[in-house]
Amino acid sequence: MDQLIASLPARVVAIAAIVLGFLFFMLNDPPKTVCDIQLEVFQKEQEKFLYPAAKGVRKPEIDKDLEMCRLGAGPGGCFELFRKLRKLAVDIENIPRQCTEDAAQRAEIRKGIWGSLKLMVMLAWGERPPLTYVQKNGWLDASDVALYCRLKQQAVELFGREAWMGFRDSSTKDLPGAAQLTREQIWQRSLISTACENYR
């Protein structure tokens, strides 16, 4: 091999070295796409809430906020989470449409949307089934329901309608007292059946 390289003209060896070096850098650090850059901006905006402030320093705040809201189960306990979810909804809307497929692959975004929607469905339902469909929002006010609808729309856009339908079924089957109700009764009394066009 050494004899072959030595027999080649210096110019050929130099060009081969440049090409190999270029390929090495391309494979180790591929050029960033527009979507890579947009999702880096998104990650920066969601630092602390969805993403740790620094690698290995601490966990993102979403786990703590979801748990505080679940335990508080009221406007006071959920205020901070809902405030951050409104910011998340804005940041997701700022992701260009051509980048939604890349965004949908991010585990942090999936957790932020699906985890929050599931909690909101549970909060509206409460510890026992609502007596009628009129009570299906529980203690959630109009702005909270509007936030739910916004996140629902983003879930459909990012993950597709089939994923939403799967979530709809899985998020309601384990609600307290749901086993004693028909599927139609669960649907009518849960936040899932909200007519979101009324909250735009």
Side-chain angles (χ1 to χ4, degrees):
M1 184 70 174
D2 292 340
Q3 289 177 343
L4 177 63
I5 293 172
S7 68
L8 292 172
R11 186 179 194 138
V12 173
V13 173
I15 291 171
I18 291 170
V19 169
L20 288 172
F22 179 74
L23 288 173
F24 174 78
F25 285 115
M26 287 287 286
L27 292 172
N28 280 331
D29 188 20
K32 291 181 179 176
T33 65
V34 172
C35 291
D36 290 335
I37 294 166
Q38 289 293 330
L39 289 170
E40 280 180 11
V41 171
F42 173 85
Q43 182 169 335
K44 187 70 178 167
E45 288 295 321
Q46 285 297 311
E47 194 173 89
K48 293 185 181 176
F49 182 54
L50 282 192
Y51 298 89
K55 286 189 178 179
V57 174
R58 63 176 187 165
K59 293 180 180 178
E61 294 172 352
I62 185 169
D63 294 323
K64 172 181 63 77
D65 292 339
L66 285 168
E67 186 63 11
M68 280 183 60
C69 179
R70 189 183 68 76
L71 293 174
C78 296
F79 176 81
E80 191 64 17
L81 173 66
F82 287 3
R83 182 183 69 79
K84 291 174 183 176
L85 288 177
R86 288 183 176 91
K87 170 78 165 62
L88 172 63
V90 169
D91 291 342
I92 289 174
E93 284 166 4
N94 288 336
I95 297 172
R97 189 167 292 276
Q98 69 265 28
C99 301
T100 54
E101 191 173 326
D102 290 350
Q105 302 303 316
R106 301 291 176 103
E108 295 85 359
I109 294 176
R110 290 198 304 271
K111 179 179 182 179
I113 292 179
W114 293 127
S116 302
L117 285 170
K118 184 170 185 177
L119 179 62
M120 293 179 91
V121 169
M122 290 171 53
L123 292 171
W125 184 270
E127 295 179 5
R128 60 188 62 85
L131 296 176
T132 69
Y133 74 92
V134 177
Q135 299 169 314
K136 69 181 175 184
N137 294 347
W139 57 264
L140 300 179
D141 65 21
S143 68
D144 299 332
V145 178
L147 172 62
Y148 162 82
C149 287
R150 199 170 177 185
L151 292 170
K152 172 191 170 183
Q153 180 62 35
Q154 291 175 342
V156 172
E157 289 173 1
L158 285 172
F159 310 111
R161 187 154 295 280
E162 278 190 31
W164 166 254
M165 290 168 72
F167 167 80
R168 180 188 68 190
D169 294 339
S170 66
S171 65
T172 54
K173 69 178 182 181
D174 294 327
L175 292 170
Q180 283 75 50
L181 302 173
T182 66
R183 188 177 180 187
E184 184 62 27
Q185 287 173 322
I186 296 169
W187 166 262
Q188 289 176 346
R189 299 184 199 186
S190 71
L191 187 62
I192 291 283
S193 65
T194 297
C196 283
E197 57 271 17
N198 296 333
Y199 290 90
R200 288 179 182 149

